[in-house]
Amino acid sequence: MFDVISRSDPGGLPPLQRLRGRMEISAKLVAGHTRLDRLYQEGSAKARLPKTPGTALEAILINTGGGMTGGDRLHVGVAAGAGAHLVATSQAAEKIYRSPQGEALMETRLEVGAGGRLDWLPQETILFQGGRFGRRLEADVAADGALLIVESTIFGRTARGEEVTDGQFADRWRVRRAGRLVFADTTRLDGDIATLLDRPAVAGGGRAVAALLHVTGDAEERLDAVRAVLEHHPAVEGGVSAWNGLLHARLVARTGIALRAALIELLQVLRGQPMPRAWLC
């Protein structure tokens, strides 16, 4: 669905169209296997459920709009019910194009029931010159549920040497376990993003960044394994901490290729299984 938003234009150009999409999917446990419980699709947001080995259900999320720009809105809700294991990824990188006015907004809602597991593994978001993007992620996890979140962002197509000297990026995470807020994080870059990323305390010249959060009972026990992975990727700098059943990592690299290689290995170690095929195409 593309909503037409009127504007005053003395040049007689047609009204702008704005993307609207909503996708909600939930999974439940049936006879030891995770099955689809509910799927709702509206507008540009779609989901496909490929057949995969194992007992988990995999969902591939698709934005048929082909990217986002100012005024576009996407809402995604993903829920793993009691005992279910749901893996959600994206078909390709999400692209945020130049925004004449306003920001593109993506809202994500994640839920994990008792003994359930949800892996939220979207591919990269690429912010182009002049792009303005807001990402809001809310998650609720049962006391004995497990949630793995990764979000990676590339500022300009690094393989082409692009720089983002004008743009906006705002990323807000709020995660609750058993109804209690256990993790809150907000990142905001506005204006000459390339210059901001050059600062040592921001990205030290990196153009590709990622944030990862693993909510699981044995988070502290996984810390050494994650750090060992990062030692194998000298082109990627990162910091990892674990406390109270949470493992949090931030990674930065000069290129998206270097960041992606480290993320794939790190996520496979944490998940104990290969990445979704969409990541490897």
Side-chain angles (χ1 to χ4, degrees):
M1 175 177 67
F2 295 89
D3 288 353
V4 177
I5 300 177
S6 61
R7 67 178 181 183
S8 175
D9 190 346
L13 294 176
L16 296 176
Q17 291 183 321
R18 287 297 177 247
L19 176 152
R20 296 289 185 270
R22 175 178 289 269
M23 194 284 302
E24 297 178 2
I25 184 170
S26 61
K28 60 184 178 181
L29 187 66
V30 179
H33 290 262
T34 299
R35 304 301 187 199
L36 178 66
D37 184 31
R38 178 177 181 269
L39 175 61
Y40 176 84
Q41 303 175 114
E42 178 183 333
S44 65
K46 308 296 183 183
R48 295 296 180 264
L49 308 173
K51 292 183 179 180
T52 58
T55 59
L57 177 67
E58 182 178 310
I60 299 178
L61 313 183
I62 302 170
N63 172 18
T64 61
M68 300 180 69
T69 186
D72 290 348
R73 300 288 185 269
L74 278 178
H75 173 87
V76 176
V78 183
H85 181 193
L86 178 58
V87 180
T89 186
S90 57
Q91 180 188 39
E94 186 64 76
K95 301 172 182 66
I96 310 300
Y97 296 111
R98 183 179 66 86
S99 300
Q101 56 183 203
E103 69 171 5
L105 178 63
M106 179 175 291
E107 297 177 310
T108 304
R109 177 77 182 177
L110 308 176
E111 297 181 24
V112 185
R117 175 178 167 185
L118 172 58
D119 299 342
W120 174 249
L121 310 174
Q123 298 190 61
E124 303 90 345
T125 295
I126 303 175
L127 185 79
F128 287 81
Q129 171 75 353
R132 286 164 173 76
F133 181 55
R135 183 166 55 210
R136 301 173 185 170
L137 186 150
E138 299 271 345
D140 283 282
V141 187
D144 59 348
L147 173 64
L148 176 60
I149 304 171
V150 66
E151 291 280 7
S152 52
T153 307
I154 302 173
F155 297 94
R157 289 173 293 188
T158 55
R160 298 191 180 187
E162 295 178 350
E163 295 279 14
V164 180
T165 57
D166 174 49
Q168 180 180 302
F169 173 72
D171 195 15
R172 180 184 185 273
W173 295 19
R174 297 293 185 269
V175 179
R176 294 171 175 81
R177 178 194 277 158
R180 178 174 173 268
L181 183 66
V182 295
F183 184 84
D185 184 76
T186 300
T187 299
R188 184 177 180 86
L189 300 171
D190 198 351
D192 187 346
I193 291 180
T195 297
L196 293 173
L197 293 173
D198 284 338
R199 294 181 181 178
V202 180
R207 294 296 184 266
V209 300
L212 179 150
L213 181 69
H214 199 186
V215 183
T216 180
D218 60 350
E220 290 88 344
E221 299 173 18
R222 299 169 178 261
L223 185 59
D224 290 341
V226 172
R227 288 175 173 169
V229 169
L230 295 180
E231 290 177 0
H232 297 157
H233 294 271
V236 177
E237 296 185 46
V240 189
S241 301
W243 72 101
N244 296 338
L246 303 175
L247 185 147
H248 182 231
R250 287 191 182 278
L251 310 181
V252 60
R254 292 187 177 273
T255 68
I257 293 175
L259 180 67
R260 186 181 181 89
L263 273 179
I264 288 175
E265 184 176 349
L266 192 158
L267 290 167
Q268 288 182 154
V269 166
L270 287 175
R271 300 177 67 237
Q273 55 191 272
M275 293 294 291
R277 290 184 63 182
W279 271 74
L280 307 176
C281 295

